[in-house]
Amino acid sequence: MTSFQSRVLVSVIGVPLLAWVVLWAPPVVLLIALCLLAGIGAIELQQCVSGAKRSVMISMSTVCAMLVVGWYYGCPEQVSLLFLLETLVFFGYAIVKAGAVKFDQIMAGLFGSIAIGYSFSAFLRLEASGLHRAYLLLPFILSFACDTFAYLVGCSIGKHKLAPKVSPKKSVEGAVGGLLGNVLCGLLFAVVMDRWFGGSIGCGPMVVLALACGVVAQIGDLSFSLIKREFGIKDYGHLFLAHGGVLDRFDSVLFVTPVLEIILNFVR
């Protein structure tokens, strides 16, 4: 199967599945999907940092990431206790192993469980806030639109490198195109929601929201590219075939979703 064929296959299967889980599936299905994505993302990050395919640290990272998402679903007011316990567990295990576990592995475990789990759990908090469930599509729209328009504009007219030592193919022109594409797609979403689904976000706030999420999406993309470059890997995984793993496909989404959640609390 060629790279193009695998990308088409993932899109044909993945887009309808994503739409069903986000828009119509029972909340418990959304919870399970988010737990799985968080767990796989934690695995990919720990494997990237440690270079191992299986280890106790990978297992701990997976379980802890899934726990964060589930904990936010069941008792969000106690999540700070979970963060503290996870920090003690990771450092405690490193102490027991007496130097066999490196500091970057500990940080990968904590970031993979706490930060990635927290980001994916933002979907649950958005769903519980009373917003129409269609708004749960916004993190994907304002991430993928930015990436797509940045790629198209960058390939067409990109001349000035954005971050050549992190991602050599990205350009300033592409970054601007990504922001404009985000505004366009965000406004289209706002109009559709306002006209047919009683949307609660006007065009003015949506422009601000789309621009902010466009900036954050590109920071997220470059951040995970920075990690890959540091540890010398091409992709975090192969769950989505040519699209890579969870952290390759959802790198921008992980940054955009909690930012979107915070901004929506002010503009609703």
Side-chain angles (χ1 to χ4, degrees):
M1 183 183 297
T2 66
S3 175
F4 176 75
Q5 289 173 329
S6 67
R7 287 177 184 273
V8 171
L9 177 63
V10 170
S11 299
V12 168
I13 297 174
V15 172
L17 181 61
L18 175 66
W20 177 75
V21 170
V22 170
L23 296 175
W24 299 293
V28 67
V29 175
L30 177 63
L31 170 64
I32 292 171
L34 293 170
C35 284
L36 288 174
L37 288 173
I40 295 170
I43 290 173
E44 292 174 352
L45 184 62
Q46 192 62 248
Q47 287 178 337
C48 166
V49 170
S50 66
K53 293 297 181 182
R54 295 181 181 86
S55 70
V56 174
M57 285 293 288
I58 291 174
S59 299
M60 288 169 54
S61 299
T62 307
V63 171
C64 288
M66 297 175 74
L67 268 177
V68 170
V69 179
W71 203 291
Y72 261 114
Y73 183 77
C75 46
E77 67 282 354
Q78 300 293 332
V79 75
S80 58
L81 173 62
L82 179 61
F83 291 169
L84 174 61
L85 291 175
E86 289 187 2
T87 302
L88 293 174
V89 166
F90 278 107
F91 274 99
Y93 178 72
I95 292 170
V96 169
K97 298 303 291 183
V101 176
K102 305 304 180 184
F103 182 69
D104 55 2
Q105 293 173 261
I106 300 172
M107 290 299 100
L110 290 174
F111 183 81
S113 58
I114 295 175
I116 292 177
Y118 171 81
S119 294
F120 276 122
S121 70
F123 285 99
L124 298 174
R125 296 190 293 275
L126 285 171
E127 194 271 338
S129 69
L131 284 167
H132 192 287
R133 279 188 72 165
Y135 282 101
L136 271 64
L137 291 173
L138 259 184
F140 301 105
I141 294 172
L142 298 181
S143 298
F144 298 159
C146 184
D147 182 59
T148 301
F149 279 87
Y151 174 78
L152 293 175
V153 174
C155 288
S156 301
I157 60 172
K159 293 182 179 179
H160 301 87
K161 299 297 183 182
L162 179 65
K165 293 185 178 180
V166 177
S167 187
K169 294 183 179 180
K170 296 188 183 301
S171 66
V172 174
E173 293 82 0
V176 174
L179 294 179
L180 296 178
N182 246 24
V183 171
L184 177 62
C185 292
L187 287 174
L188 180 60
F189 178 85
V191 170
V192 171
M193 290 300 298
D194 183 61
R195 186 163 186 175
W196 287 291
F197 302 101
S200 56
I201 302 177
C203 290
M206 180 56 75
V207 170
V208 176
L209 183 65
L211 287 173
C213 288
V215 172
V216 172
Q218 295 186 57
I219 293 175
D221 186 8
L222 290 169
S223 296
F224 280 99
S225 293
L226 181 68
I227 297 171
K228 285 194 293 186
R229 183 165 290 275
E230 180 175 344
F231 290 95
I233 64 170
K234 182 179 182 295
D235 294 314
Y236 284 102
H238 304 286
L239 178 65
F240 302 112
L241 304 180
H243 285 283
V246 169
L247 298 184
D248 297 293
R249 187 66 277 176
F250 295 101
D251 47 7
S252 299
V253 175
L254 286 170
F255 275 62
V256 166
T257 310
V259 171
L260 182 67
E261 175 198 2
I262 293 169
I263 295 176
L264 284 179
N265 288 330
F266 290 97
V267 302
R268 287 174 57 188

